[in-house]
Amino acid sequence: MSGFRTPQLKAIGIAHTPFANPGDVERPQSARGRVEIFSRYADGLKDIDGFSHIILIWLFHKSKGTELQCCPTRYRIPPPRGLFATRSPFRVNPIGLTVVKLLEREGSVLHVKGVDMIEGTPVLDIKPYTRRDRKSNISAGWLDEVKMPNREKMRDRQL
């Protein structure tokens, strides 16, 4: 693409979570954390309090390299899948997206539930999760075929 320039990304805050390393991220549905927004961006939090859930866009800051085919780290189930059919942290552009429950706002700190990022993760953006984001009758591709313990409980669990 001639003339295309990649914009410079800026962290607006940092995530504080119970996970020290990527391999520690387990059962994120119940994991609580805090998102500390840097003071120069704190005014952007105005009116966020009324939302039950928010979307965090963040950087896989410890991810190294890209694998276009991989066995997803969470399931480690062969055969290798295409990168774009997984949630592998080894992305072409190391960007993560997570929907979390907003428990409370305390000044420029957001207390959240459902974090799946590690301590110190740079947060790039926050968007409100709205009714138009909810999808029903979805298909989960190859994941629908994977046999996992307590799969029904996991599928029905709410943040």
Side-chain angles (χ1 to χ4, degrees):
M1 291 165 77
S2 179
F4 181 76
R5 290 178 21 144
T6 303
Q8 185 68 27
L9 300 176
K10 297 178 181 113
I12 62 163
I14 190 167
H16 299 288
T17 77
F19 308 118
N21 300 297
D24 297 339
V25 178
E26 197 174 300
R27 301 198 190 284
Q29 305 93 326
S30 60
R32 292 177 184 242
R34 294 176 295 118
V35 178
E36 178 185 345
I37 303 303
F38 301 142
S39 60
R40 67 180 164 268
Y41 301 112
D43 284 349
L45 294 174
K46 181 180 183 290
D47 302 319
I48 202 165
D49 307 80
F51 291 91
S52 66
H53 292 74
I54 55 176
I55 301 167
L56 300 176
I57 301 170
W58 47 278
L59 194 62
F60 281 106
H61 65 296
K62 298 225 174 169
S63 180
K64 303 265 193 270
T66 300
E67 301 169 354
L68 292 179
Q69 293 195 6
C70 57
C71 288
T73 52
R74 187 168 185 192
Y75 304 102
R76 292 186 179 87
I77 300 170
R81 309 289 177 169
L83 172 68
F84 305 122
T86 74
R87 294 205 172 183
S88 168
F90 304 107
R91 314 301 300 183
V92 175
N93 293 299
I95 298 169
L97 180 144
T98 303
V99 176
V100 295
K101 181 174 181 71
L102 179 58
L103 301 172
E104 145 183 45
R105 175 180 167 203
E106 189 177 357
S108 62
V109 176
L110 303 174
H111 296 268
V112 297
K113 180 178 177 185
V115 294
D116 63 352
M117 60 204 66
I118 64 173
E119 171 62 30
T121 296
V123 175
L124 301 175
D125 203 354
I126 300 170
K127 296 180 183 290
Y129 184 86
T130 66
R131 285 182 182 84
R132 79 174 188 193
D133 295 311
R134 289 187 66 175
K135 307 296 182 219
S136 59
N137 300 319
I138 66 164
S139 171
W142 64 269
L143 283 170
D144 284 339
E145 300 166 13
V146 174
K147 301 284 187 237
M148 294 186 329
N150 301 319
R151 182 167 174 81
E152 292 302 315
K153 288 181 187 175
M154 289 175 63
R155 186 182 337 185
D156 296 335
R157 200 174 277 165
Q158 298 290 321
L159 287 176

